[in-house]
Amino acid sequence: AVRFHPDGRAFYSASVDGTLKEWDSTQRCLLNTLPTPGWTPTALEVTHDGKQLISPSGDGQIVIWEIATLLPVAQLAQHQMKINAIALSPDNHLLVSASDDKTTKLWRREGDRFQLAKVIKAKEKPIVSVAMYRNEKDTHQLVAAKVDEVMVYQLTDDLTISEPVMLYQSPYAIKQVAVSEKGCVAIATEDRQLTLWNLNTGDCVAKLSHEWGVTGLTFSSDSQQLVTASADEVLSI
């Protein structure tokens, strides 16, 4: 995983070699390697205020790092198995984590800490990718993908969760989802298709083809560009 700092200069990478690294995008150089305790990071998020780095791992732990010191300041250990994905709400107040233990956990920020607030249990297949969006009605929406379907949950401020609404079903394995600040959902599947959906209307608005399967995707902060990484080692914008 790779995530930019809000300043646009620093960015962070998580690797299967068990390291987290801080880079300078202007000088194109490595700044720091974070002292991970041997676990393999599985995803990354940077808080929107640029103060903290959040890294889940293959053993079910979530570590919160203070970016100013690059030291861990908290550890969330309620998952029992590998964490597949995490997502932050646009206002920084909610963290979502999805695990192979078939639970999706909602964490509410209290001060500079995250506290477990809600657990969603999957009946059969675990969630493999998650994304958060805050719509025009100022309501949080959680986009959660299993291997064969993408669902949307409505979340109130007190974390009352609606019944999920089906957005998309696929005969091919779903690899990743991402949502822009304008409410556009990108869904990547292993059949080399990338579909874009309007989260406010539920309509499919575009279908993009890749020569190889998409392994990662993210929107730019202004929602005008989508960047994809594919299995042929190509980045497309």
Side-chain angles (χ1 to χ4, degrees):
V2 175
R3 288 291 182 270
F4 267 95
H5 190 276
D7 67 11
R9 178 167 182 168
F11 68 93
Y12 303 86
S13 62
S15 170
V16 293
D17 66 6
T19 66
L20 298 174
K21 294 182 182 294
E22 182 182 46
W23 305 82
D24 186 313
S25 65
T26 303
Q27 300 297 322
R28 300 186 180 185
C29 63
L30 175 65
L31 297 176
N32 293 287
T33 299
L34 279 67
T36 55
W39 41 258
T40 301
T42 57
L44 272 181
E45 285 289 351
V46 178
T47 56
H48 303 292
D49 58 11
K51 293 182 178 180
Q52 293 181 325
L53 179 70
I54 303 174
S55 176
S57 67
D59 63 357
Q61 311 293 311
I62 301 174
V63 179
I64 314 294
W65 305 80
E66 200 70 36
I67 287 179
T69 62
L70 295 182
L71 292 174
V73 294
Q75 184 170 321
L76 313 178
Q78 279 82 349
H79 279 294
Q80 304 302 311
M81 299 176 69
K82 171 191 170 186
I83 297 172
N84 296 318
I86 59 173
L88 271 172
S89 63
D91 60 6
N92 263 354
H93 290 161
L94 287 178
L95 171 69
V96 179
S97 57
S99 168
D100 275 349
D101 64 12
K102 296 184 180 180
T103 67
T104 299
K105 298 185 186 297
L106 305 180
W107 311 80
R108 192 196 299 273
R109 180 183 285 276
E110 297 181 6
D112 59 353
R113 302 276 178 164
F114 284 100
Q115 301 291 333
L116 182 61
K118 202 90 171 183
V119 178
I120 305 173
K121 294 183 178 180
K123 294 181 180 179
E124 298 178 359
K125 302 168 185 175
I127 301 296
V128 298
S129 186
V130 291
M132 291 284 288
Y133 171 64
R134 197 166 180 91
N135 62 21
E136 296 174 352
K137 298 179 180 178
D138 217 25
T139 299
H140 283 110
Q141 292 180 288
L142 169 63
V143 181
K146 296 182 180 180
V147 70
D148 57 354
E149 61 186 14
V150 178
M151 302 164 295
V152 180
Y153 297 84
Q154 306 287 335
L155 303 177
T156 62
D157 286 339
D158 63 359
L159 296 189
T160 299
I161 303 174
S162 70
E163 289 296 316
V165 174
M166 185 73 64
L167 181 66
Y168 179 63
Q169 284 185 303
S170 173
Y172 300 96
I174 296 169
K175 308 300 288 185
Q176 293 253 350
V177 296
V179 60
S180 76
E181 292 187 1
K182 303 295 186 182
C184 180
V185 179
I187 303 173
T189 52
E190 68 176 3
D191 63 337
R192 305 189 298 276
Q193 292 294 315
L194 184 68
T195 54
L196 303 181
W197 299 76
N198 185 321
L199 191 56
N200 297 308
T201 64
D203 295 328
C204 181
V205 296
K207 293 183 180 181
L208 309 176
S209 295
H210 271 260
E211 292 185 5
W212 291 69
V214 175
T215 56
L217 69 165
T218 187
F219 283 96
S220 60
S221 59
D222 62 4
S223 302
Q224 296 303 305
Q225 293 180 314
L226 174 67
V227 182
T228 64
S230 53
D232 57 354
E233 302 180 1
V234 171
L235 291 173
S236 301
I237 302 174

